[in-house]
Amino acid sequence: MSVLRVGNASGFYGDRFDALREMLTGGELDVLTGDYLAELTMLILGRDRLKDPAAGYARTFLRQLEECLGLAHERGVRIVANAGGLNPAGLADAVRRLADRLGVPVRVAHVEGDDLGARYPGSLTAHAYLGGFGIAACLREGADVVVAGRVTDAALVTGPAAAHFGWDATQYDRLAGAVVAGHVLECGTQATGGNYAFFAADAAADGHAHTGARGGGGGGGGRDLRRPGFPLAEIHEDGSCVITKHPGTGGFVDVGTVTAQLLYETAGARYAGPDVTARLDTVRLAQDGPDRVRVDGVRGEAPPPTLKVGRTRLGGFRNEVVFVLTGLDIEAKAALVREQMADAFATSRPSQIRWELVRTDRPDADTQETASALLRLVVRDPDQALVGRALSGAAIELALASYPGFHVLAPPGKGSPYGVFEAAYVPQEDVGHVAVLDDGRRVPVPPPPSAAARVLEPVAEADPPEPLPPGPVRRAPLGLVAGARSGDKGPDANVGVWVRTDEAWRWLVHELTAERFRELVPESRDLAVTRHSLPRLRALNFVVEGLLGAGVASQHRFDPQAKALGEWLRSRRLDIPEALL
């Protein structure tokens, strides 16, 4: 059967608004997907729904369709998005009204069954991560637009692929290939040079950082990263694919950009989903020309017997004040204001108080800003009053009675609610996965036939290659030889680290142990750190449990989603063989 060309036009709720039009006009496509959901997004949509029961979906998706629905219909491109959020039925109805107003004859279907709020009282949201076969059922019945709620990100690709090629639920290798394609596409421009660890080194090698939107796929040409194009996958019937982008768009696609995205928010060799367990240790990547990376060899196994359920709830209230400390005696100034605030908290103490001194100051600085350090105070409590006026009053009353040069970045407010993310698991057969067609028919989607018999076990790691022979070393940042990409999964952080040559892999796999990781990232020293090895990708994936507290919505740390954790790791210095530098 023909190749299925699946594009992506959104990696998160708030991504580039014009991407839908860019993808529809930039080249050939069969299906255009959009990923709008994340753990934090579900909390935001949950709060929206508290104010308006008819809300709960990504409203920007409707505005994008208002500009592009007619264009998609003219070009025969089907649109599949999880913009339905907490209310896919409501979004489907809104799309139908929009299509009627625009005079565009499209059939709109949606997917239901993910909402498990009734099973988890006290939750703001509770949604199972569904697979792609509900989307596939909608497409097989002729839907032009499919809106879903909390499906997995990869389901936006596995569903169209299963529908197009006629795959059944036991064709695990093909489904696993589509999962890998979906995982690469899901974050949009992260597959085309966005957020890429080697962006500066590669631009320098090209001789310029911005000129030339074409090329860059592994040899020659400029790599314009000012506005990377969105990715697409040319999927074949056997599950293999080529990751690429529309001609003439910015950014670039090479083995490095695809490797980085494969490691994003994953862990070990088994990448479990509701449709299939993809074996990431079997993935083969090869440059297939400029801006083209072939992905094949992916093996699949039966999915686990349970579905993940993402739960959000309100955890309490949070407030923050940032004191600016300028010039001399930074440590003494910080100590003084901490003592003064401790006195204020003696009578009304929040349950959580966290201080952090960020030394952004430089000696003999030539601007006031670079002569200043930041002292962050974050407080949390179930009682808003304890983090609101109590904090605001105590901080502002110090304005004329504290350290010299006292000022804050902004006056503290009354305290805002923060969220908590928790994961649960339910048997696949307990979730009523349903495709709701344009004419109102409801098509039940059965659970995978063999899921209940499978329990995932870790994959035994292969013996590492021989280490490099002894030789001279130089103290240098890890990032001179290794790339990294990091992210969040609930309370845990993951950091994928990869290198681009076999010689560098021989060094990395022996050098960067879990123990060395803890040394380089001191915040992880008291936490569980698990290392996973993926030799075919020349990559290591580290999972740091509990680093993010109760998840991104709790804003537990300075970088609540661990987006820059990998870049911090790359900046750390260790002894690197000179032969690699």
Side-chain angles (χ1 to χ4, degrees):
M1 298 179 72
S2 61
V3 170
L4 180 70
R5 294 174 61 88
V6 181
N8 170 279
S10 176
F12 66 100
Y13 190 10
D15 208 345
R16 189 189 306 166
F17 186 85
D18 294 336
L20 202 69
R21 178 174 291 278
E22 291 171 12
M23 290 300 289
L24 288 171
T25 58
E28 293 183 8
L29 280 180
D30 299 304
V31 178
L32 185 55
T33 67
D35 181 10
Y36 292 80
L37 300 184
E39 293 168 2
L40 181 60
T41 313
M42 299 299 280
L43 180 78
I44 293 170
L45 294 177
R47 293 177 62 184
D48 288 347
R49 191 173 58 175
L50 288 177
K51 301 173 186 176
D52 178 5
Y57 55 78
R59 296 183 182 274
T60 53
F61 176 69
L62 271 181
R63 299 206 304 272
Q64 290 172 304
L65 285 188
E66 186 158 12
E67 293 186 4
C68 298
L69 186 60
L71 182 61
H73 178 65
E74 291 170 8
R75 297 187 172 229
V77 178
R78 291 170 149 184
I79 295 176
V80 178
N82 61 9
L86 314 183
N87 188 8
L91 178 57
D93 287 340
V95 173
R96 292 187 188 100
R97 292 193 296 270
L98 174 66
D100 289 343
R101 178 163 60 83
L102 297 176
V104 180
V106 295
R107 289 165 290 188
V108 183
H110 71 276
V111 177
E112 290 183 354
D114 57 305
D115 190 345
L116 301 183
R119 300 191 187 193
Y120 297 96
S123 298
L124 180 62
T125 66
H127 290 258
Y129 288 73
L130 301 179
F133 278 93
I135 293 171
C138 294
L139 294 172
R140 284 169 176 157
E141 293 292 333
D144 303 295
V145 178
V146 180
V147 294
R150 183 67 283 185
V151 295
T152 65
D153 302 335
L156 301 175
V157 174
T158 60
H164 180 78
F165 295 114
W167 296 339
D168 66 39
T170 62
Q171 292 180 287
Y172 297 133
D173 290 349
R174 298 176 184 190
L175 288 168
V179 164
V180 168
H183 185 66
V184 174
L185 295 187
E186 70 179 65
C187 288
T189 52
Q190 279 196 172
T192 59
N195 298 351
Y196 184 54
F198 292 118
F199 81 102
D202 287 356
D206 283 340
H208 35 67
H210 300 303
T211 57
R214 291 178 182 266
R223 297 184 171 190
D224 188 346
L225 291 178
R226 291 171 296 182
R227 190 179 174 88
F230 277 70
L232 63 95
E234 299 171 353
I235 303 175
H236 297 267
E237 198 275 337
D238 64 357
S240 66
C241 72
V242 171
I243 304 296
T244 184
K245 62 187 184 70
H246 283 327
T249 56
F252 61 99
V253 180
D254 68 11
V255 169
T257 65
V258 174
T259 298
Q261 183 55 29
L262 275 177
L263 296 173
Y264 182 64
E265 295 181 348
T266 59
R270 283 192 166 103
Y271 184 54
D275 296 322
V276 65
T277 298
R279 289 288 298 266
L280 299 184
D281 57 336
T282 64
V283 178
R284 290 194 303 250
L285 304 179
Q287 202 70 41
D288 196 44
D291 293 321
R292 294 177 63 83
V293 173
R294 177 167 297 281
V295 185
D296 60 16
V298 186
R299 301 297 302 273
E301 300 170 344
T306 57
L307 293 178
K308 179 180 177 180
V309 179
R311 301 173 56 197
T312 65
R313 60 179 174 82
L314 296 179
F317 295 87
R318 178 188 183 277
N319 208 347
E320 177 176 342
V321 58
V322 181
F323 301 91
V324 182
L325 316 174
T326 304
L328 304 177
D329 306 317
I330 296 295
E331 300 284 349
K333 289 172 180 174
L336 174 59
V337 75
R338 290 186 63 165
E339 291 172 0
Q340 291 175 312
M341 290 300 295
D343 290 341
F345 288 144
T347 56
S348 56
R349 181 180 179 85
S351 59
Q352 296 182 40
I353 300 174
R354 182 171 179 173
W355 292 93
E356 186 172 10
L357 178 59
V358 184
R359 295 302 299 263
T360 53
D361 56 304
R362 296 202 299 263
D364 195 22
D366 55 7
T367 67
Q368 182 176 329
E369 187 169 355
T370 56
S372 301
L374 303 178
L375 179 64
R376 296 178 67 238
L377 167 62
V378 178
V379 296
R380 290 184 173 84
D381 198 89
D383 185 351
Q384 186 175 12
L386 291 182
V387 302
R389 291 183 179 179
L391 174 69
S392 303
I396 298 307
E397 287 171 3
L398 296 177
L400 304 179
S402 190
Y403 58 86
F406 180 100
H407 66 288
V408 297
L409 288 185
K414 62 182 180 180
S416 58
Y418 70 88
V420 172
F421 176 87
E422 297 167 333
Y425 295 87
V426 297
Q428 290 235 30
E429 61 270 19
D430 287 358
V431 175
H433 191 176
V434 178
V436 184
L437 307 182
D438 186 66
D439 59 8
R441 284 182 294 144
R442 300 175 64 84
V443 180
V445 179
S450 59
R454 296 288 301 182
V455 176
L456 293 181
E457 297 289 346
V459 174
E461 293 187 358
D463 293 334
E466 289 295 317
L468 289 178
V473 298
R474 187 194 317 164
R475 196 76 175 170
L478 173 64
L480 293 185
V481 296
R485 179 163 287 166
S486 54
D488 65 305
K489 278 296 182 185
D492 304 334
N494 103 283
V495 186
V497 184
W498 81 97
V499 290
R500 301 196 280 189
T501 67
D502 291 338
E503 291 75 16
W505 172 243
R506 290 173 62 187
W507 171 77
L508 182 75
V509 71
H510 292 282
E511 176 66 23
L512 195 56
T513 61
E515 291 72 22
R516 179 56 59 88
F517 183 96
R518 288 192 183 93
E519 293 173 8
L520 298 173
V521 181
E523 287 184 53
S524 68
R525 284 178 178 169
D526 297 325
L527 302 174
V529 177
T530 304
R531 188 185 90 155
H532 304 277
S533 178
L534 298 168
R536 285 196 176 184
L537 300 177
R538 301 192 195 98
L540 302 171
N541 218 339
F542 295 87
V543 177
V544 186
E545 297 181 22
L547 182 70
L548 305 180
V552 55
S554 69
Q555 299 182 32
H556 177 72
R557 64 193 297 273
F558 172 68
D559 175 16
Q561 290 181 280
K563 295 291 189 182
L565 183 61
E567 286 302 292
W568 177 27
L569 176 65
R570 293 181 69 234
S571 74
R572 300 289 282 165
R573 293 177 177 267
L574 65 171
D575 292 335
I576 300 175
E578 289 190 353
L580 301 179
L581 297 171

